Amino acid sequence: LLRLTASSDIDLAAKMKAEWLQQLDDNDDPSPYRVRVHIYQGAELSGDVGRPNYVKVNFNGESAQKSKTTKPTNFPLFYETIEFDTQLPSPLYFPQVNIQLYSKDDIAFGLGEDDYIGCVNLKLGEEHIETGMVAPVPAWFSLGIEEEGDV
């Protein structure tokens, strides 16, 4: 979360700082949430054809959770939900969800490292708060190619 301001008017700058500190004070009591990441499928993945894939989900500084490993394909089917029980501030300050895709090591006995394919960072916001029993509508997201471990 970042807020950048600049002003030559010292009174305005002090007023903005006071406003910002008040917003932080108003949101110091986190509420319990269950964050669900519904992972459906991938399409046209790069990398070696016929290698199994899995997803790692990072959220709110908690331990990363890993999906099951799919059958070897560049069009993996996961159909899995990963959940995090956590405490969050107001939706204005919700953290991102980081989803990383890996291709499983194909060296015998698993002595090699899995290949990092890419990731997507999704901003969790008020629009994601479920108010009823309506299932979320899936959407496609493009993977960004970053360095492994970026979150």
Side-chain angles (χ1 to χ4, degrees), residues 101-120:
L101 180 69
Y102 289 84
S103 183
K104 193 79 176 146
D105 168 40
D106 61 355
I107 295 177
F109 307 110
L111 298 176
E113 292 188 23
D114 296 342
D115 292 332
Y116 175 76
I117 304 293
C119 75
V120 62

Side-chain angles (χ1 to χ4, degrees), residues 57-69:
V57 180
N58 299 286
F59 178 72
N60 205 26
E62 299 185 24
S63 296
Q65 293 192 37
K66 185 176 160 184
S67 74
K68 66 182 180 189
T69 301

Side-chain angles (χ1 to χ4, degrees), residues 26-77:
D26 291 345
N27 290 293
D28 63 355
D29 291 328
S31 299
Y33 284 91
R34 175 167 289 153
V35 176
R36 294 179 186 93
V37 180
H38 305 280
I39 305 167
Y40 295 96
Q41 54 187 283
E44 301 177 11
L45 300 181
S46 62
D48 295 335
V49 176
R51 290 185 61 191
N53 301 286
Y54 65 92
V55 170
K56 283 186 0 185
V57 180
N58 299 286
F59 178 72
N60 205 26
E62 299 185 24
S63 296
Q65 293 192 37
K66 185 176 160 184
S67 74
K68 66 182 180 189
T69 301
T70 67
K71 293 181 180 179
T73 180
N74 283 1
F75 295 83
L77 302 176

